[in-house]
């Protein structure tokens, strides 16, 4: 069977698309921030209603502001073609409402990520303190009568 040049380009594109990390904290925070800013929570569908299109464009522009490629921005919005995010990026320069919403979603997503990092750091700190407390309890225990101390296994 003869392979077409387009097949190779298509397969390379699929490989690139699969390497883009969706479901990451950045992606989740951008979606949450877009939902908060636009008030739409169903913008991942294929509908072309104005408010849903606006919400998808806000998500793609906010993703672009965070440093993602156009291809990644499109995948974050559930689309497969980077031209949609490129169009949204160009439209953002002309429409003030889209620009304001995209910057608000981007800033809110940074706040969400900072809160998650803080919670994570607090959780690590609590785990370390609990482990120290457990070690202190073990050190404070006196050996039972007749129990031998374990020999040092280090050379």
């Amino acid at each position: 069977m003869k392979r077409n040049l387009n097949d190779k380009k298509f397969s390379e594109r699929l490989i690139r698309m699969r390497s883009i990390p969706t479901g990451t904290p950045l992606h989740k925070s951008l979606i949450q921030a877009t939902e908060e800013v636009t008030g739409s929570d169903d913008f991942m569908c294929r509908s072309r209603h104005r408010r849903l299109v606006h919400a998808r464009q806000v998500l793609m522009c906010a993703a672009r502001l965070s440093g993602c490629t156009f291809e990644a921005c499109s995948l974050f919005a559930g689309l497969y073609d980077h031209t949609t995010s490129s169009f949204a990026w160009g439209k953002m320069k002309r429409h003030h409402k889209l620009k304001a919403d995209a910057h608000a979603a981007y800033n809110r997503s940074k706040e969400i990520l900072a809160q998650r990092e803080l919670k994570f750091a607090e959780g690590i700190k609590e785990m370390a303190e609990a482990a120290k407390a457990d070690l202190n309890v073990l050190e404070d225990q006196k050996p039972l009568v007749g129990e031998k101390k374990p020999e040092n296994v280090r050379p």
Side-chain angles (χ1 to χ4, degrees), residues 53-54 57 86-96 98:
V53 169
H54 177 75
Q57 289 176 344
S86 173
F87 174 78
W89 185 252
K91 185 178 176 182
M92 186 181 82
K93 295 177 183 175
R94 298 185 307 269
H95 295 289
H96 300 293
L98 178 60

Side-chain angles (χ1 to χ4, degrees), residues 4-101:
N4 192 352
L5 182 60
N6 290 335
D7 290 343
K8 183 179 178 187
K9 286 182 182 178
F10 183 70
S11 63
E12 289 174 357
R13 185 166 176 244
L14 278 177
I15 291 170
R16 266 198 335 268
M17 286 171 54
R18 288 183 180 141
S19 68
I20 293 173
T22 56
T24 59
L26 173 66
H27 181 216
K28 291 176 184 177
S29 68
L30 284 170
I31 288 176
Q32 182 180 349
T34 303
E35 288 173 356
E36 291 175 9
V37 169
T38 61
S40 298
D41 61 348
D42 55 348
F43 57 86
M44 298 296 276
C45 67
R46 296 273 185 213
S47 175
R48 292 186 181 179
H49 291 288
R50 181 174 291 192
R51 70 178 177 83
L52 301 177
V53 169
H54 177 75
R56 273 194 297 268
Q57 289 176 344
V58 167
L59 173 66
M60 289 185 282
C61 290
R64 184 68 179 170
L65 287 171
S66 69
C68 295
T69 63
F70 285 130
E71 200 168 30
C73 297
S74 295
L75 281 178
F76 282 4
L79 305 170
Y80 298 104
D81 194 10
H82 72 280
T83 56
T84 308
S85 58
S86 173
F87 174 78
W89 185 252
K91 185 178 176 182
M92 186 181 82
K93 295 177 183 175
R94 298 185 307 269
H95 295 289
H96 300 293
K97 171 113 175 87
L98 178 60
K99 186 175 188 176
D101 286 349

Side-chain angles (χ1 to χ4, degrees), residues 96-116:
H96 300 293
K97 171 113 175 87
L98 178 60
K99 186 175 188 176
D101 286 349
H103 281 282
Y106 171 67
N107 291 332
R108 179 67 184 128
S109 106
K110 285 196 316 186
E111 291 172 7
I112 291 169
L113 283 175
Q115 290 171 354
R116 286 183 182 168

Side-chain angles (χ1 to χ4, degrees), residues 89-150:
W89 185 252
K91 185 178 176 182
M92 186 181 82
K93 295 177 183 175
R94 298 185 307 269
H95 295 289
H96 300 293
K97 171 113 175 87
L98 178 60
K99 186 175 188 176
D101 286 349
H103 281 282
Y106 171 67
N107 291 332
R108 179 67 184 128
S109 106
K110 285 196 316 186
E111 291 172 7
I112 291 169
L113 283 175
Q115 290 171 354
R116 286 183 182 168
E117 287 178 11
L118 184 63
K119 284 182 182 177
F120 181 75
E122 288 173 356
I124 295 293
K125 188 176 179 181
E126 288 175 7
M127 286 175 39
E129 289 172 358
K132 284 180 186 177
D134 289 344
L135 288 175
N136 288 339
V137 168
L138 290 175
E139 288 177 358
D140 292 343
Q141 289 179 350
K142 294 182 180 177
L144 298 174
V145 177
E147 183 181 356
K148 290 185 177 181
K149 277 189 166 182

